[in-house]
Amino acid sequence: MHTRKDASEIFRQLAEGLESSGTPDFYTTLVEQLAHMLEIDHALIAVVSEPHMATTLAVWSNNDHQENIAYSLIGTPCETVLGREPCLYACDVQARFPKDELLGQLGAESYMGLPLFSSDGSAIGVLAVLSNEPMQFDGLENEALRIVAAQAGAELGRCQAEQALRQSEEVARESERRLNTLLNHLPGMAYRCLNDQHWTMQLVSEGVEALTGYHQDELRDNRLISFASLIHEADQDRFFMVVQRAIKERQPYSVVYRLRHRDGSYRWMWEQGQAVIDDDGHVTYLEGFISDVTDQHESQRVQEAVVQVASTVTSRVGDDYFHQLIVTLATLLEADAGFIALLDQPVPQRLVITDNNNTVLPANSAYTVSLVANGQLVDNQTFMLQGTPAEQVVFEGESVAKHGHAFTLPGTALSTQAWIGRRLDNAKGDAIGVMMVFYQAPLTTNAFATSVLKILSTGAAAELERRRDHRYMHRLAYTDNTTGLPNRARFIELLASMGKEAASQKDSLSLLLLDIRRFKEVNDLHGHQVGDQLLATVAERLQKASLAKSAVARLSGDEFTILLPSIEDVRLQEVVFQLCEIIKRPIQLGHRVFNLDVSIGVASYPGDVLDAGELFNAASIALHHAKRRDNSVCPYTQAMRQTLERRQWMTERLHQAIIERRLQLYYQPQFSLTSKTLTGAEALCRWYDPEWGWVSPGEFIPLAEERGLIRMLGDWVLEEAASQLNVWQDSNMPLPGRLSINISAQQFADPQLTTHVAKLTACVPSSAIALELTESDFMRDPDQAVTITQAMRQAGYALFIDDFGTGYSSLSYLRRFAADALKIDISFVRDMLDNHHDRAIVQTIIAMADTLEMKTLAEGVENPAQADLLAKMGCREAQGYWFGRPLPADEFAAMWLTP
């Protein structure tokens, strides 16, 4: 499949599709965007719900979203994709997988699938695109599919992680309920004690030693130590209050507290009991069970911490996500500092071992995406990895230093001696970053912190990878690959933002639009590689010459633009002059030296336009005038817009006039200078517009040539002229000689012109028509002109070379042309009575025509003296106001054709 869109457009659309990450409609948006971007018929994303079964998360088919379905993977192309590399079946996919009913329902002819991987590298789903025709993707489209698959896998992994967390919370709640029921039957410490300040134990079970490290006899009756002294000081008052309140309310009590083990460590205990009351209402003793719940308590703390972090950062993306995550983590883990850093390049799972048995780390540096110290965000820093805790984390995956490892946090004066870090891996398992917290004091425990970091690292890694891919896509979508400058899409954004700022600050903003003249010739002669080198050199010069806060961009092949804020008119003129000089400086590439020229259109806000958003349009109009008039620089004026608008309106009205056949033909007589008799006429197109009145042919004929209407106009003239000749003939008013009809250069470029003219003028004999072509037009391709003119002569048409003497023609080609006459241009006839140079030119043309056996016809004869001199020189025929002005068909016939 060939790329139908350029790189900036594909990745711009892809960036828009991935912006919905984390939202409920992420997958549906993604498949729709993917189908439009790659122009394929079907796209789906599916998750492996159970062995050999898949469930779709989103399906796009036949330009609409479809209901999700569950289907068996057995005998489908999706089965071949899972756990493997991307798989392409470019054609005949139904024949390859005849048992797959879905392929038949979709009518798919080709299929490409990519596996979706979770953060641990396991295959969890599949992304598939299908077409009803054979397909083949190029490198750009494969890269786009890879990014989409990576992001879809990361999103799916994130959703599954969230689901696992919810299930974990449900399990915890269920465990607590069962614990309340079963605790009295579980091994642990069963006891009976007095309700005194020592909690004097009268009876303890054998489980006491496992919980406290003390033997039963050592605790009974406080023989070695009292149970109350083992309770953590911070928990003693709370413990006492809970028990006494329960006794007062005649309810069982339940309390969690820390208990000191014989080895000096503290463990979390969960105790449930009740008071035994005698007949007099006095407490006889307390009895119950105590269990070690350290692991459950730590797990609960971790869950609560993760929930707290998740609730804080779930709705955030990008920098805000990382800032909130690291701030919340530092607070929860009671850390003095922390950061999340992105490696300058991914580190693969298997690292390279050197000859010295040292491990080589491909990444050299890291850049913090969020850095917090003492509760405050700090500006992000770039630091070298070697010898830092971050390097150790990358190597080990998880690293803990409890004390004595001095490290000064980048960008701060904060010195730390303990840290906990977790590596952040992408979907392939390659390290792309680290997440770390730091302590100024030694670290006594790390189980809680490492558990929290481990759980949260998956989401942080997914967001970090999304950020990296987003930057990559942004660079592709908004940067010109050849020059490294912002491209057209980025320029539009820059113009909007800088224009908004200029309006709010009541400041100025100028836009320069530059076009390298005749750059296409360089590409055609020397190839695109040389052309790209020249463009890159021009871009570098423009960047160096631009002012502070200005913005340079490349819009198209040879078109650049510069936005200049807050610049005065005098300084703007200096900058424009400087740019012209810079671009015109010779550029040497190898042994070649290139001298470029430039056209520049200039527009300013608010001087030229009232809205900064109109700057580009105004500069484009100015550039158009600069190129047409061959000026280097052209500032915008309102008159330019009016001229361009008139030309556009005229093009539309002329097109409609041709279609509706509202044009007219006028006829100017041609006379013999010897016999003074009518020898023919020339058909001249005239246009009367109901709103504008008569429009000059000198305005609408060149416009028709420029805007591609001249062929349509020429066909109408040929057909109309032939029809009028036929009318005169049928009315017994035949035109003597031939009717001359002008042929444009665009018409003459058609190798089948003779056949085309014959078809349009079929109602009259070819001997009744003479076709006129200007000298400059037939010299554009002399060899083809010789072939066409010979074919026309053979068909019976006469050929006149119009405006002779104003162009440049070779005598050798003139000899080969099968022309009947040379028409002497009016510019020589007008002044030949007073200008001996013009008279000599006319005499030379007549002599040359006689030598080549062509007749001559002079244009623009306006007085008898001109006619007499032309006759004496040997010119045979003439036309002009002296003989008769152009007239409509009826008036011409009444004056010249009526007997």
Side-chain angles (χ1 to χ4, degrees), residues 246-275:
I247 293 173
K248 183 178 180 180
E249 296 175 355
R250 297 291 194 271
Q251 295 291 331
Y253 56 82
S254 175
V255 61
V256 177
Y257 56 91
R258 286 165 288 182
L259 192 70
R260 188 178 72 251
H261 194 274
R262 192 167 196 161
D263 63 10
S265 65
Y266 278 93
R267 306 283 293 174
W268 285 93
M269 300 296 156
W270 182 78
E271 180 177 340
Q272 186 177 36
Q274 62 183 8

PDB file of all heavy atoms in Angstrom, residues 246-275:
ATOM      1  N   ALA A 246     -15.653  -0.674  75.575  1.00  0.00           N
ATOM      2  CA  ALA A 246     -16.386  -1.901  75.244  1.00  0.00           C
ATOM      3  C   ALA A 246     -16.968  -2.555  76.489  1.00  0.00           C
ATOM      4  O   ALA A 246     -18.097  -3.066  76.488  1.00  0.00           O
ATOM      5  CB  ALA A 246     -15.457  -2.869  74.516  1.00  0.00           C
ATOM      6  N   ILE A 247     -16.200  -2.556  77.587  1.00  0.00           N
ATOM      7  CA  ILE A 247     -16.692  -3.133  78.845  1.00  0.00           C
ATOM      8  C   ILE A 247     -17.913  -2.370  79.322  1.00  0.00           C
ATOM      9  O   ILE A 247     -18.924  -2.960  79.748  1.00  0.00           O
ATOM     10  CB  ILE A 247     -15.583  -3.111  79.908  1.00  0.00           C
ATOM     11  CG1 ILE A 247     -14.443  -4.065  79.513  1.00  0.00           C
ATOM     12  CG2 ILE A 247     -16.130  -3.499  81.277  1.00  0.00           C
ATOM     13  CD1 ILE A 247     -13.233  -3.973  80.427  1.00  0.00           C
ATOM     14  N   LYS A 248     -17.813  -1.059  79.260  1.00  0.00           N
ATOM     15  CA  LYS A 248     -18.921  -0.222  79.727  1.00  0.00           C
ATOM     16  C   LYS A 248     -20.181  -0.481  78.916  1.00  0.00           C
ATOM     17  O   LYS A 248     -21.294  -0.472  79.453  1.00  0.00           O
ATOM     18  CB  LYS A 248     -18.504   1.242  79.621  1.00  0.00           C
ATOM     19  CG  LYS A 248     -19.554   2.213  80.150  1.00  0.00           C
ATOM     20  CD  LYS A 248     -19.041   3.645  80.052  1.00  0.00           C
ATOM     21  CE  LYS A 248     -20.076   4.631  80.589  1.00  0.00           C
ATOM     22  NZ  LYS A 248     -19.592   6.037  80.504  1.00  0.00           N
ATOM     23  N   GLU A 249     -20.007  -0.699  77.594  1.00  0.00           N
ATOM     24  CA  GLU A 249     -21.153  -0.901  76.705  1.00  0.00           C
ATOM     25  C   GLU A 249     -21.559  -2.364  76.614  1.00  0.00           C
ATOM     26  O   GLU A 249     -22.465  -2.700  75.835  1.00  0.00           O
ATOM     27  CB  GLU A 249     -20.818  -0.355  75.309  1.00  0.00           C
ATOM     28  CG  GLU A 249     -20.579   1.155  75.290  1.00  0.00           C
ATOM     29  CD  GLU A 249     -20.127   1.642  73.922  1.00  0.00           C
ATOM     30  OE1 GLU A 249     -19.906   0.781  73.035  1.00  0.00           O
ATOM     31  OE2 GLU A 249     -19.995   2.873  73.752  1.00  0.00           O
ATOM     32  N   ARG A 250     -20.875  -3.212  77.382  1.00  0.00           N
ATOM     33  CA  ARG A 250     -21.154  -4.641  77.372  1.00  0.00           C
ATOM     34  C   ARG A 250     -21.023  -5.215  75.947  1.00  0.00           C
ATOM     35  O   ARG A 250     -21.812  -6.033  75.509  1.00  0.00           O
ATOM     36  CB  ARG A 250     -22.554  -4.942  77.922  1.00  0.00           C
ATOM     37  CG  ARG A 250     -22.766  -4.548  79.383  1.00  0.00           C
ATOM     38  CD  ARG A 250     -21.938  -5.461  80.300  1.00  0.00           C
ATOM     39  NE  ARG A 250     -22.334  -5.350  81.706  1.00  0.00           N
ATOM     40  CZ  ARG A 250     -21.819  -4.479  82.574  1.00  0.00           C
ATOM     41  NH1 ARG A 250     -20.863  -3.650  82.179  1.00  0.00           N
ATOM     42  NH2 ARG A 250     -22.241  -4.466  83.819  1.00  0.00           N
ATOM     43  N   GLN A 251     -19.966  -4.770  75.262  1.00  0.00           N
ATOM     44  CA  GLN A 251     -19.721  -5.200  73.897  1.00  0.00           C
ATOM     45  C   GLN A 251     -18.323  -5.819  73.802  1.00  0.00           C
ATOM     46  O   GLN A 251     -17.422  -5.482  74.572  1.00  0.00           O
ATOM     47  CB  GLN A 251     -19.785  -4.000  72.933  1.00  0.00           C
ATOM     48  CG  GLN A 251     -21.144  -3.356  72.833  1.00  0.00           C
ATOM     49  CD  GLN A 251     -22.143  -4.263  72.134  1.00  0.00           C
ATOM     50  OE1 GLN A 251     -21.786  -5.074  71.290  1.00  0.00           O
ATOM     51  NE2 GLN A 251     -23.413  -4.136  72.520  1.00  0.00           N
ATOM     52  N   PRO A 252     -18.104  -6.731  72.833  1.00  0.00           N
ATOM     53  CA  PRO A 252     -16.743  -7.224  72.599  1.00  0.00           C
ATOM     54  C   PRO A 252     -15.875  -6.074  72.098  1.00  0.00           C
ATOM     55  O   PRO A 252     -16.363  -5.088  71.547  1.00  0.00           O
ATOM     56  CB  PRO A 252     -16.938  -8.282  71.511  1.00  0.00           C
ATOM     57  CG  PRO A 252     -18.382  -8.638  71.555  1.00  0.00           C
ATOM     58  CD  PRO A 252     -19.104  -7.393  71.972  1.00  0.00           C
ATOM     59  N   TYR A 253     -14.625  -6.217  72.290  1.00  0.00           N
ATOM     60  CA  TYR A 253     -13.706  -5.184  71.804  1.00  0.00           C
ATOM     61  C   TYR A 253     -12.782  -5.774  70.738  1.00  0.00           C
ATOM     62  O   TYR A 253     -12.511  -6.976  70.715  1.00  0.00           O
ATOM     63  CB  TYR A 253     -12.887  -4.573  72.938  1.00  0.00           C
ATOM     64  CG  TYR A 253     -12.101  -5.569  73.752  1.00  0.00           C
ATOM     65  CD1 TYR A 253     -10.857  -6.047  73.322  1.00  0.00           C
ATOM     66  CD2 TYR A 253     -12.604  -6.029  74.974  1.00  0.00           C
ATOM     67  CE1 TYR A 253     -10.154  -6.960  74.075  1.00  0.00           C
ATOM     68  CE2 TYR A 253     -11.899  -6.953  75.734  1.00  0.00           C
ATOM     69  CZ  TYR A 253     -10.663  -7.413  75.282  1.00  0.00           C
ATOM     70  OH  TYR A 253      -9.963  -8.331  76.022  1.00  0.00           O
ATOM     71  N   SER A 254     -12.310  -4.873  69.870  1.00  0.00           N
ATOM     72  CA  SER A 254     -11.369  -5.249  68.812  1.00  0.00           C
ATOM     73  C   SER A 254     -10.402  -4.084  68.630  1.00  0.00           C
ATOM     74  O   SER A 254     -10.842  -2.940  68.489  1.00  0.00           O
ATOM     75  CB  SER A 254     -12.113  -5.534  67.500  1.00  0.00           C
ATOM     76  OG  SER A 254     -11.206  -5.793  66.456  1.00  0.00           O
ATOM     77  N   VAL A 255      -9.124  -4.381  68.629  1.00  0.00           N
ATOM     78  CA  VAL A 255      -8.149  -3.308  68.560  1.00  0.00           C
ATOM     79  C   VAL A 255      -6.888  -3.799  67.833  1.00  0.00           C
ATOM     80  O   VAL A 255      -6.502  -4.966  67.961  1.00  0.00           O
ATOM     81  CB  VAL A 255      -7.805  -2.784  69.968  1.00  0.00           C
ATOM     82  CG1 VAL A 255      -7.197  -3.885  70.822  1.00  0.00           C
ATOM     83  CG2 VAL A 255      -6.869  -1.586  69.902  1.00  0.00           C
ATOM     84  N   VAL A 256      -6.271  -2.910  67.061  1.00  0.00           N
ATOM     85  CA  VAL A 256      -5.005  -3.177  66.374  1.00  0.00           C
ATOM     86  C   VAL A 256      -3.951  -2.275  66.990  1.00  0.00           C
ATOM     87  O   VAL A 256      -4.172  -1.072  67.139  1.00  0.00           O
ATOM     88  CB  VAL A 256      -5.122  -2.927  64.853  1.00  0.00           C
ATOM     89  CG1 VAL A 256      -3.770  -3.134  64.164  1.00  0.00           C
ATOM     90  CG2 VAL A 256      -6.168  -3.845  64.240  1.00  0.00           C
ATOM     91  N   TYR A 257      -2.813  -2.869  67.298  1.00  0.00           N
ATOM     92  CA  TYR A 257      -1.766  -2.084  67.949  1.00  0.00           C
ATOM     93  C   TYR A 257      -0.417  -2.723  67.667  1.00  0.00           C
ATOM     94  O   TYR A 257      -0.328  -3.841  67.141  1.00  0.00           O
ATOM     95  CB  TYR A 257      -2.016  -2.004  69.464  1.00  0.00           C
ATOM     96  CG  TYR A 257      -2.131  -3.351  70.117  1.00  0.00           C
ATOM     97  CD1 TYR A 257      -1.003  -3.999  70.647  1.00  0.00           C
ATOM     98  CD2 TYR A 257      -3.374  -4.002  70.203  1.00  0.00           C
ATOM     99  CE1 TYR A 257      -1.114  -5.254  71.226  1.00  0.00           C
ATOM    100  CE2 TYR A 257      -3.492  -5.250  70.789  1.00  0.00           C
ATOM    101  CZ  TYR A 257      -2.353  -5.869  71.292  1.00  0.00           C
ATOM    102  OH  TYR A 257      -2.460  -7.118  71.868  1.00  0.00           O
ATOM    103  N   ARG A 258       0.637  -2.006  68.029  1.00  0.00           N
ATOM    104  CA  ARG A 258       1.984  -2.519  67.844  1.00  0.00           C
ATOM    105  C   ARG A 258       2.483  -3.150  69.144  1.00  0.00           C
ATOM    106  O   ARG A 258       2.344  -2.561  70.220  1.00  0.00           O
ATOM    107  CB  ARG A 258       2.928  -1.391  67.423  1.00  0.00           C
ATOM    108  CG  ARG A 258       2.748  -0.943  65.978  1.00  0.00           C
ATOM    109  CD  ARG A 258       3.407   0.384  65.707  1.00  0.00           C
ATOM    110  NE  ARG A 258       2.662   1.466  66.354  1.00  0.00           N
ATOM    111  CZ  ARG A 258       2.980   2.758  66.252  1.00  0.00           C
ATOM    112  NH1 ARG A 258       4.038   3.117  65.538  1.00  0.00           N
ATOM    113  NH2 ARG A 258       2.260   3.688  66.855  1.00  0.00           N
ATOM    114  N   LEU A 259       3.108  -4.307  68.979  1.00  0.00           N
ATOM    115  CA  LEU A 259       3.601  -5.051  70.133  1.00  0.00           C
ATOM    116  C   LEU A 259       5.098  -5.316  69.932  1.00  0.00           C
ATOM    117  O   LEU A 259       5.507  -5.785  68.862  1.00  0.00           O
ATOM    118  CB  LEU A 259       2.847  -6.368  70.282  1.00  0.00           C
ATOM    119  CG  LEU A 259       3.040  -7.124  71.604  1.00  0.00           C
ATOM    120  CD1 LEU A 259       2.350  -6.365  72.737  1.00  0.00           C
ATOM    121  CD2 LEU A 259       2.452  -8.527  71.489  1.00  0.00           C
ATOM    122  N   ARG A 260       5.882  -5.045  71.014  1.00  0.00           N
ATOM    123  CA  ARG A 260       7.321  -5.241  70.909  1.00  0.00           C
ATOM    124  C   ARG A 260       7.688  -6.695  71.089  1.00  0.00           C
ATOM    125  O   ARG A 260       7.348  -7.331  72.079  1.00  0.00           O
ATOM    126  CB  ARG A 260       8.050  -4.394  71.951  1.00  0.00           C
ATOM    127  CG  ARG A 260       9.579  -4.404  71.770  1.00  0.00           C
ATOM    128  CD  ARG A 260      10.299  -3.523  72.783  1.00  0.00           C
ATOM    129  NE  ARG A 260      10.280  -4.122  74.119  1.00  0.00           N
ATOM    130  CZ  ARG A 260       9.547  -3.657  75.145  1.00  0.00           C
ATOM    131  NH1 ARG A 260       8.766  -2.592  74.967  1.00  0.00           N
ATOM    132  NH2 ARG A 260       9.583  -4.246  76.338  1.00  0.00           N
ATOM    133  N   HIS A 261       8.392  -7.250  70.117  1.00  0.00           N
ATOM    134  CA  HIS A 261       8.874  -8.629  70.190  1.00  0.00           C
ATOM    135  C   HIS A 261      10.102  -8.678  71.075  1.00  0.00           C
ATOM    136  O   HIS A 261      10.738  -7.659  71.358  1.00  0.00           O
ATOM    137  CB  HIS A 261       9.207  -9.118  68.767  1.00  0.00           C
ATOM    138  CG  HIS A 261       9.389 -10.599  68.651  1.00  0.00           C
ATOM    139  ND1 HIS A 261      10.589 -11.222  68.885  1.00  0.00           N
ATOM    140  CD2 HIS A 261       8.499 -11.580  68.330  1.00  0.00           C
ATOM    141  CE1 HIS A 261      10.457 -12.516  68.706  1.00  0.00           C
ATOM    142  NE2 HIS A 261       9.180 -12.777  68.372  1.00  0.00           N
ATOM    143  N   ARG A 262      10.421  -9.875  71.496  1.00  0.00           N
ATOM    144  CA  ARG A 262      11.590 -10.045  72.362  1.00  0.00           C
ATOM    145  C   ARG A 262      12.874  -9.583  71.671  1.00  0.00           C
ATOM    146  O   ARG A 262      13.815  -9.121  72.340  1.00  0.00           O
ATOM    147  CB  ARG A 262      11.715 -11.524  72.760  1.00  0.00           C
ATOM    148  CG  ARG A 262      12.716 -11.760  73.891  1.00  0.00           C
ATOM    149  CD  ARG A 262      12.558 -13.154  74.451  1.00  0.00           C
ATOM    150  NE  ARG A 262      13.222 -13.284  75.748  1.00  0.00           N
ATOM    151  CZ  ARG A 262      12.969 -14.232  76.637  1.00  0.00           C
ATOM    152  NH1 ARG A 262      12.043 -15.144  76.381  1.00  0.00           N
ATOM    153  NH2 ARG A 262      13.622 -14.285  77.788  1.00  0.00           N
ATOM    154  N   ASP A 263      12.910  -9.661  70.326  1.00  0.00           N
ATOM    155  CA  ASP A 263      14.115  -9.250  69.585  1.00  0.00           C
ATOM    156  C   ASP A 263      14.194  -7.747  69.374  1.00  0.00           C
ATOM    157  O   ASP A 263      15.119  -7.227  68.754  1.00  0.00           O
ATOM    158  CB  ASP A 263      14.189  -9.979  68.246  1.00  0.00           C
ATOM    159  CG  ASP A 263      13.016  -9.636  67.331  1.00  0.00           C
ATOM    160  OD1 ASP A 263      12.247  -8.712  67.634  1.00  0.00           O
ATOM    161  OD2 ASP A 263      12.873 -10.307  66.277  1.00  0.00           O
ATOM    162  N   GLY A 264      13.221  -7.003  69.905  1.00  0.00           N
ATOM    163  CA  GLY A 264      13.243  -5.551  69.823  1.00  0.00           C
ATOM    164  C   GLY A 264      12.425  -4.968  68.694  1.00  0.00           C
ATOM    165  O   GLY A 264      12.172  -3.757  68.665  1.00  0.00           O
ATOM    166  N   SER A 265      12.024  -5.780  67.752  1.00  0.00           N
ATOM    167  CA  SER A 265      11.211  -5.279  66.639  1.00  0.00           C
ATOM    168  C   SER A 265       9.753  -5.192  67.064  1.00  0.00           C
ATOM    169  O   SER A 265       9.321  -5.833  68.031  1.00  0.00           O
ATOM    170  CB  SER A 265      11.339  -6.211  65.433  1.00  0.00           C
ATOM    171  OG  SER A 265      10.789  -7.487  65.716  1.00  0.00           O
ATOM    172  N   TYR A 266       9.027  -4.364  66.367  1.00  0.00           N
ATOM    173  CA  TYR A 266       7.599  -4.214  66.638  1.00  0.00           C
ATOM    174  C   TYR A 266       6.800  -4.911  65.535  1.00  0.00           C
ATOM    175  O   TYR A 266       7.130  -4.842  64.356  1.00  0.00           O
ATOM    176  CB  TYR A 266       7.209  -2.735  66.693  1.00  0.00           C
ATOM    177  CG  TYR A 266       7.505  -2.095  68.023  1.00  0.00           C
ATOM    178  CD1 TYR A 266       8.716  -1.442  68.240  1.00  0.00           C
ATOM    179  CD2 TYR A 266       6.580  -2.145  69.063  1.00  0.00           C
ATOM    180  CE1 TYR A 266       8.997  -0.853  69.462  1.00  0.00           C
ATOM    181  CE2 TYR A 266       6.859  -1.555  70.290  1.00  0.00           C
ATOM    182  CZ  TYR A 266       8.064  -0.919  70.488  1.00  0.00           C
ATOM    183  OH  TYR A 266       8.352  -0.344  71.703  1.00  0.00           O
ATOM    184  N   ARG A 267       5.744  -5.606  65.963  1.00  0.00           N
ATOM    185  CA  ARG A 267       4.832  -6.275  65.050  1.00  0.00           C
ATOM    186  C   ARG A 267       3.420  -5.753  65.299  1.00  0.00           C
ATOM    187  O   ARG A 267       3.090  -5.334  66.416  1.00  0.00           O
ATOM    188  CB  ARG A 267       4.865  -7.793  65.266  1.00  0.00           C
ATOM    189  CG  ARG A 267       6.237  -8.424  65.194  1.00  0.00           C
ATOM    190  CD  ARG A 267       6.710  -8.569  63.768  1.00  0.00           C
ATOM    191  NE  ARG A 267       5.900  -9.539  63.053  1.00  0.00           N
ATOM    192  CZ  ARG A 267       6.031  -9.784  61.745  1.00  0.00           C
ATOM    193  NH1 ARG A 267       6.912  -9.105  61.029  1.00  0.00           N
ATOM    194  NH2 ARG A 267       5.269 -10.696  61.162  1.00  0.00           N
ATOM    195  N   TRP A 268       2.614  -5.796  64.257  1.00  0.00           N
ATOM    196  CA  TRP A 268       1.231  -5.353  64.390  1.00  0.00           C
ATOM    197  C   TRP A 268       0.355  -6.522  64.840  1.00  0.00           C
ATOM    198  O   TRP A 268       0.448  -7.618  64.295  1.00  0.00           O
ATOM    199  CB  TRP A 268       0.706  -4.809  63.071  1.00  0.00           C
ATOM    200  CG  TRP A 268       1.252  -3.443  62.737  1.00  0.00           C
ATOM    201  CD1 TRP A 268       2.333  -3.161  62.000  1.00  0.00           C
ATOM    202  CD2 TRP A 268       0.695  -2.205  63.166  1.00  0.00           C
ATOM    203  NE1 TRP A 268       2.535  -1.813  61.923  1.00  0.00           N
ATOM    204  CE2 TRP A 268       1.523  -1.179  62.631  1.00  0.00           C
ATOM    205  CE3 TRP A 268      -0.393  -1.823  63.951  1.00  0.00           C
ATOM    206  CZ2 TRP A 268       1.286   0.169  62.856  1.00  0.00           C
ATOM    207  CZ3 TRP A 268      -0.635  -0.480  64.160  1.00  0.00           C
ATOM    208  CH2 TRP A 268       0.199   0.510  63.620  1.00  0.00           C
ATOM    209  N   MET A 269      -0.447  -6.267  65.887  1.00  0.00           N
ATOM    210  CA  MET A 269      -1.342  -7.285  66.454  1.00  0.00           C
ATOM    211  C   MET A 269      -2.793  -6.857  66.279  1.00  0.00           C
ATOM    212  O   MET A 269      -3.120  -5.674  66.333  1.00  0.00           O
ATOM    213  CB  MET A 269      -1.065  -7.474  67.946  1.00  0.00           C
ATOM    214  CG  MET A 269       0.359  -7.911  68.261  1.00  0.00           C
ATOM    215  SD  MET A 269       0.687  -9.543  67.578  1.00  0.00           S
ATOM    216  CE  MET A 269       2.465  -9.510  67.411  1.00  0.00           C
ATOM    217  N   TRP A 270      -3.584  -7.907  66.084  1.00  0.00           N
ATOM    218  CA  TRP A 270      -5.036  -7.674  66.036  1.00  0.00           C
ATOM    219  C   TRP A 270      -5.649  -8.499  67.151  1.00  0.00           C
ATOM    220  O   TRP A 270      -5.464  -9.713  67.235  1.00  0.00           O
ATOM    221  CB  TRP A 270      -5.592  -8.131  64.694  1.00  0.00           C
ATOM    222  CG  TRP A 270      -7.078  -7.886  64.557  1.00  0.00           C
ATOM    223  CD1 TRP A 270      -7.695  -6.720  64.283  1.00  0.00           C
ATOM    224  CD2 TRP A 270      -8.105  -8.874  64.697  1.00  0.00           C
ATOM    225  NE1 TRP A 270      -9.053  -6.889  64.231  1.00  0.00           N
ATOM    226  CE2 TRP A 270      -9.340  -8.209  64.488  1.00  0.00           C
ATOM    227  CE3 TRP A 270      -8.113 -10.243  64.995  1.00  0.00           C
ATOM    228  CZ2 TRP A 270     -10.560  -8.855  64.553  1.00  0.00           C
ATOM    229  CZ3 TRP A 270      -9.334 -10.886  65.049  1.00  0.00           C
ATOM    230  CH2 TRP A 270     -10.547 -10.194  64.831  1.00  0.00           C
ATOM    231  N   GLU A 271      -6.324  -7.817  68.043  1.00  0.00           N
ATOM    232  CA  GLU A 271      -6.863  -8.475  69.240  1.00  0.00           C
ATOM    233  C   GLU A 271      -8.368  -8.273  69.290  1.00  0.00           C
ATOM    234  O   GLU A 271      -8.874  -7.170  69.068  1.00  0.00           O
ATOM    235  CB  GLU A 271      -6.214  -7.899  70.498  1.00  0.00           C
ATOM    236  CG  GLU A 271      -6.725  -8.518  71.785  1.00  0.00           C
ATOM    237  CD  GLU A 271      -6.011  -7.976  73.020  1.00  0.00           C
ATOM    238  OE1 GLU A 271      -4.888  -7.433  72.861  1.00  0.00           O
ATOM    239  OE2 GLU A 271      -6.579  -8.094  74.123  1.00  0.00           O
ATOM    240  N   GLN A 272      -9.042  -9.395  69.639  1.00  0.00           N
ATOM    241  CA  GLN A 272     -10.480  -9.334  69.832  1.00  0.00           C
ATOM    242  C   GLN A 272     -10.814 -10.088  71.113  1.00  0.00           C
ATOM    243  O   GLN A 272     -10.289 -11.172  71.356  1.00  0.00           O
ATOM    244  CB  GLN A 272     -11.241  -9.963  68.672  1.00  0.00           C
ATOM    245  CG  GLN A 272     -12.758  -9.787  68.796  1.00  0.00           C
ATOM    246  CD  GLN A 272     -13.495 -10.350  67.585  1.00  0.00           C
ATOM    247  OE1 GLN A 272     -13.075 -11.369  67.044  1.00  0.00           O
ATOM    248  NE2 GLN A 272     -14.577  -9.702  67.193  1.00  0.00           N
ATOM    249  N   GLY A 273     -11.642  -9.467  71.918  1.00  0.00           N
ATOM    250  CA  GLY A 273     -11.992 -10.118  73.182  1.00  0.00           C
ATOM    251  C   GLY A 273     -13.238  -9.519  73.785  1.00  0.00           C
ATOM    252  O   GLY A 273     -13.906  -8.671  73.181  1.00  0.00           O
ATOM    253  N   GLN A 274     -13.525  -9.985  75.001  1.00  0.00           N
ATOM    254  CA  GLN A 274     -14.685  -9.456  75.700  1.00  0.00           C
ATOM    255  C   GLN A 274     -14.494  -9.656  77.204  1.00  0.00           C
ATOM    256  O   GLN A 274     -13.693 -10.482  77.636  1.00  0.00           O
ATOM    257  CB  GLN A 274     -15.960 -10.152  75.250  1.00  0.00           C
ATOM    258  CG  GLN A 274     -16.006 -11.640  75.533  1.00  0.00           C
ATOM    259  CD  GLN A 274     -17.265 -12.299  74.996  1.00  0.00           C
ATOM    260  OE1 GLN A 274     -18.034 -11.683  74.295  1.00  0.00           O
ATOM    261  NE2 GLN A 274     -17.468 -13.563  75.360  1.00  0.00           N
ATOM    262  N   ALA A 275     -15.241  -8.881  77.935  1.00  0.00           N
ATOM    263  CA  ALA A 275     -15.167  -8.975  79.414  1.00  0.00           C
ATOM    264  C   ALA A 275     -16.167 -10.011  79.926  1.00  0.00           C
ATOM    265  O   ALA A 275     -17.285 -10.119  79.409  1.00  0.00           O
ATOM    266  CB  ALA A 275     -15.460  -7.623  80.035  1.00  0.00           C
TER     267      ALA A 275
END
